[in-house]
Amino acid sequence: MQGKKTEDEYVGFASLPEQVHRKAVKKGFNFTLMVVGESGLGKSTLINSLFLTDIYKDRQIPSVEDRMTKTVEIEKRQIDIEERGVRLRLTVVDTPGYSDALNTQDCCKAVENFVDEQFAQYFKDESGVNRRNIQDSRVHCCLYFISPCGHGLKQVDVEFMKQLHEKVNIVPIIAKADTLTAAEVCKLKNRVLQEIDEHGIKIYEFPDCDSDEDEDFKQQDKELKLAIPFSVIGSNTVLEVNGKKIRGRLYPWGIVEVDNPKHCDFLKLRQMLISTHMQDLKDVTQDVHYENYRAQHISEENKRDLQRERKLKRESCTSLDGVVDADRLLQQKDEEIRRMQEMLKQMQEQLHVSGGRANGTAC
């Protein structure tokens, strides 16, 4: 039986995770979150509630007339958050004007172009000479807000998710869940999942738990998967109830608590987004979405290079044919000149013979 190892018998590579942890904490982390949905669904309030900060304190609300003709804009806001010595640079990408105009056909294009631009910039930096300080601005997660007023997904919701589901991790959100009863929330969730499946939309899939995970984590992961799409309530108002301060909304019939799992899925969303699956969202962005873009981009570049080579070959062949034709024409001209010279020589000889005969007759 092998005895227990002493400290002298250890090599030391067991401390590698601690080294990686220290280096990662020193470097800090970054995360880019995109929020998409109609105006008035509580996107800004939810983001402020998730990260306990006021990101949109300087925002100006457009008028109704401006919204009718306004196109989709892309707004980026960065904020540095520190918790227990861990620094996170959070970038929130908002899309004001999305689905507000009367014509919503092109509202998805601006968002898609922005996602592609971030991939293109990262590909350019990654292919450059100096790759030591690459800034990752790729969108790691997209919270898509679904209106609670409808009976499922709207056409613009379907079109957006079908255009973006292979480029970004989409997490569907049922906004303002306090406007629905528990039964209505359950019915709407099932309807949304059914329509997502019918249209072949790929939303973010939670990774399977490892076999060595404890039962509590497995149960937690199961509850998160069952909560999709998350029904959420956002509020930054602090209320005091029975001597206890809570965040929620006060109604004539009672209080809706943001952090109460019986009232909404806010805690589950925050747990998934920040505590348990933030790194997985980044890994899927790197290993799946960015690799798909990279492979497609390289393939398109190879096609363009091949087309340029073929064009150059055609041009060179055309120019070569022109040279051959010119040589042929010169040869024909030389042959014609040679024939004319022979004809002139023969004519001169004939004239010379005729002239000699005439002189002999005269004598």
Side-chain angles (χ1 to χ4, degrees), residues 315-355:
E315 291 177 353
S316 62
C317 290
T318 303
S319 60
L320 183 61
D321 292 341
V323 172
V324 172
D325 292 340
D327 291 340
R328 189 181 297 112
L329 288 173
L330 288 174
Q331 291 176 359
Q332 291 175 356
K333 290 291 184 183
D334 292 339
E335 185 69 22
E336 186 177 355
I337 291 172
R338 188 179 62 80
R339 287 198 304 268
M340 292 182 67
Q341 288 176 346
E342 290 179 354
M343 291 175 62
L344 287 172
K345 185 177 179 180
Q346 291 176 1
M347 291 175 65
Q348 289 176 353
E349 290 178 353
Q350 291 177 359
L351 288 172
H352 181 71
V353 171
S354 300

Side-chain angles (χ1 to χ4, degrees), residues 32-36 139-144 160 168-172:
T32 302
L33 178 66
M34 174 180 281
V35 289
V36 181
V139 179
H140 301 120
C141 180
C142 173
L143 298 182
Y144 190 82
F160 175 87
V168 67
N169 298 310
I170 298 177
V171 178

Side-chain angles (χ1 to χ4, degrees), residues 287-298:
D287 300 335
V288 180
H289 300 306
Y290 174 68
E291 285 302 320
N292 289 341
Y293 169 84
R294 183 174 176 273
Q296 182 179 0
H297 184 76
I298 293 176

Side-chain angles (χ1 to χ4, degrees), residues 23 63 68 154 177 191 193 261 316:
K23 184 176 180 180
S63 62
M68 292 178 64
K154 298 180 181 179
R191 179 62 180 168
L193 289 176
S316 62

Side-chain angles (χ1 to χ4, degrees), residues 68-86:
M68 292 178 64
T69 57
K70 187 178 181 181
T71 57
V72 181
E73 297 179 0
I74 304 295
E75 290 184 359
K76 291 177 61 176
R77 298 172 185 265
Q78 284 188 341
I79 185 170
D80 294 324
I81 306 173
E82 185 170 346
E83 182 180 72
R84 297 179 183 178
V86 179

